Amino acid sequence: MTPHSRQRVSITNSATAVAHANIALVKYWGKRTEALNLPAVGSISLTLDALKTETTVSFDGALQKDSLVLNGKPASEASLKRVSDFLNHIGGINRSSASIVSTNNFPTAAGLASSASGFAALALSATSALNLDLEDVELSKLARIGSGSAARSIYGGFVEMKCGNTDDGNGDYAISLFEQDYWDVRMLIAITSSDEKTIGSTEGMNRTANTSPFYSAWVQSQAADLDEMRLALKAKDFQKVGELTEHSCFKMHGLALSARPPLLYWNAATTETYQIIKELRTSGIPAYVTMDAGPQVKIFCLPEAQLPIRQALKTVKGIKSILECRPGPAVALKTLENV
Ligand code: PMV
């Protein structure tokens, strides 16, 4: 990528992109190295239509420094630094300063993968504003530098993140497995808290890798889960996909619980929801849960199971709301302006 000098870019180069969050069915947890966000394991996800981030990046030679407005408010210094570092990767340290305005239509940092849609939208808007036309795989590698899961939000539908084995990250990118309209499944998201999470995924992953006695087993057993999931998705075998989804989720959380000090991302409503979904399954309604670095419960189901699931979850007092998600689209450019 060519560095842009302050002198050359004195006009405003602005672009807006929209990206959707994704939920991992086979989880990513652990980094090979932190610098380029290289994952220790591959992962498989579903991009979700209802959770989206819209981001506008405007590089402007007249600005003195970067600014970031997140959901209508100035972002924290830590968030601004993360975004500025990311833009330096694209435009070089002598680039023009940028104004970044980003809006999520869902709670930020509550385990709803806002960093995934956020950095996917930022990767496309920033590269477009700088007139860089990247292939999907290159855009995915770039988004990965912002957040590992963002590499998957470049694509719609079912997506696989590859785990490479070189230090330059050339093998660490996502690919599309099956597009948005491949399979009409649902992910219901039971919101049990809208608080920001206390331990971010990078800190949680590092703590786990450094202290869990189960970490190497986690890394070694991932390839088999990925192989099985690919086959189950290909066969549209709902039960198999659901079982593998739950297995990977509980394996990840079991691993996190075995860190010192332990990482427990759930609250009481999280476990209560899981128990109810398990009971529903024994009564013949197929549905499976998955959780990330937060207490929300994502329920993987077929369209016809939605009503009985909603009905059964009415007894869980800790559920604040339930969002319905369908498979979502790839990242897309909304506007591009060179003034
Ligand atoms: O890429 P990050 O830092 O958002 O980490 C994602 C970690 C999990 O959401 C827990 C799992 C996953 O694969 O998305």
Side-chain angles (χ1 to χ4, degrees):
M1 274 160 242
T2 46
H4 284 243
S5 77
R6 227 171 252 284
Q7 287 76 17
R8 276 209 342 262
V9 187
S10 56
I11 52 169
T12 306
N13 292 318
S14 181
T16 301
V18 175
H20 290 74
N22 68 78
I23 297 297
L25 306 178
V26 177
K27 302 290 185 200
Y28 148 54
W29 195 254
K31 296 179 200 271
R32 218 156 76 236
T33 58
E34 213 182 298
L36 290 171
N37 244 342
L38 307 183
V41 293
S43 52
I44 291 179
S45 61
L46 175 63
T47 301
L48 305 176
D49 71 338
L51 306 183
K52 67 175 179 181
T53 301
E54 182 169 318
T55 301
T56 301
V57 178
S58 308
F59 289 96
D60 184 343
L63 294 172
Q64 295 300 307
K65 55 186 177 97
D66 293 340
S67 65
L68 172 63
V69 173
L70 205 51
N71 294 325
K73 295 189 205 126
S76 66
E77 279 303 313
S79 302
L80 175 61
K81 183 176 182 315
R82 195 169 166 195
V83 164
S84 290
D85 288 349
F86 183 73
L87 294 183
N88 290 346
H89 252 287
I90 305 172
I93 51 167
N94 292 322
R95 64 176 169 80
S96 293
S97 292
S99 120
I100 305 110
V101 178
S102 190
T103 309
N104 295 325
N105 70 343
F106 57 94
T108 298
L112 278 185
S114 60
S115 67
S117 50
F119 279 100
L122 187 62
L124 182 59
S125 52
T127 50
S128 303
L130 293 173
N131 293 314
L132 299 166
D133 186 14
L134 300 189
E135 297 285 330
D136 284 350
V137 161
E138 294 309 315
L139 202 56
S140 175
K141 286 182 194 166
L142 181 61
R144 184 206 70 225
I145 292 169
S147 154
S149 55
R152 301 186 307 235
S153 274
I154 298 304
Y155 305 89
F158 294 92
V159 178
E160 176 166 1
M161 176 72 196
K162 299 282 181 193
C163 172
N165 53 19
T166 57
D167 290 343
D168 58 10
N170 261 338
D172 300 272
Y173 55 84
I175 56 166
S176 165
L177 287 180
F178 301 102
E179 306 235 331
Q180 184 186 4
D181 56 4
Y182 172 70
W183 194 10
D184 188 22
V185 292
R186 296 286 186 278
M187 196 65 89
L188 301 181
I189 304 186
I191 306 281
T192 63
S193 165
S194 51
D195 297 344
E196 297 219 350
K197 66 188 169 202
T198 47
I199 296 164
S201 52
T202 297
E203 192 190 334
M205 287 181 197
N206 290 342
R207 186 191 298 177
T208 309
N210 293 333
T211 62
S212 169
F214 306 142
Y215 187 69
S216 59
W218 159 260
V219 173
Q220 275 160 25
S221 61
Q222 188 79 343
D225 289 357
L226 292 166
D227 289 346
E228 270 193 76
M229 183 59 93
R230 256 181 255 113
L231 288 175
L233 288 171
K234 188 159 184 239
K236 292 188 183 167
D237 183 339
F238 179 78
Q239 189 180 334
K240 186 86 193 171
V241 172
E243 281 172 9
L244 283 165
T245 297
E246 264 194 19
H247 169 62
S248 180
C249 162
F250 283 96
K251 196 163 61 161
M252 181 202 112
H253 285 278
L255 177 74
L257 280 169
S258 71
R260 278 176 86 164
L263 292 157
L264 173 57
Y265 286 108
W266 305 344
N267 59 28
T270 313
T271 41
E272 202 183 336
T273 302
Y274 166 61
Q275 297 295 352
I276 289 187
I277 295 299
K278 213 166 58 149
E279 279 162 26
L280 270 180
R281 255 196 333 253
T282 46
S283 74
I285 293 162
Y288 297 86
V289 302
T290 186
M291 287 77 79
D292 293 286
Q296 328 302 357
V297 186
K298 292 91 181 199
I299 302 152
F300 181 66
C301 64
L302 292 168
E304 57 273 22
Q306 267 196 88
L307 270 183
I309 292 170
R310 282 179 184 273
Q311 196 62 34
L313 291 182
K314 281 197 173 133
T315 60
V316 185
K317 296 280 173 287
I319 294 181
K320 297 176 192 308
S321 60
I322 298 179
L323 302 175
E324 179 195 344
C325 302
R326 295 165 190 242
V331 66
L333 194 61
K334 204 170 157 189
T335 55
L336 178 60
E337 243 178 90
N338 289 330
V339 190

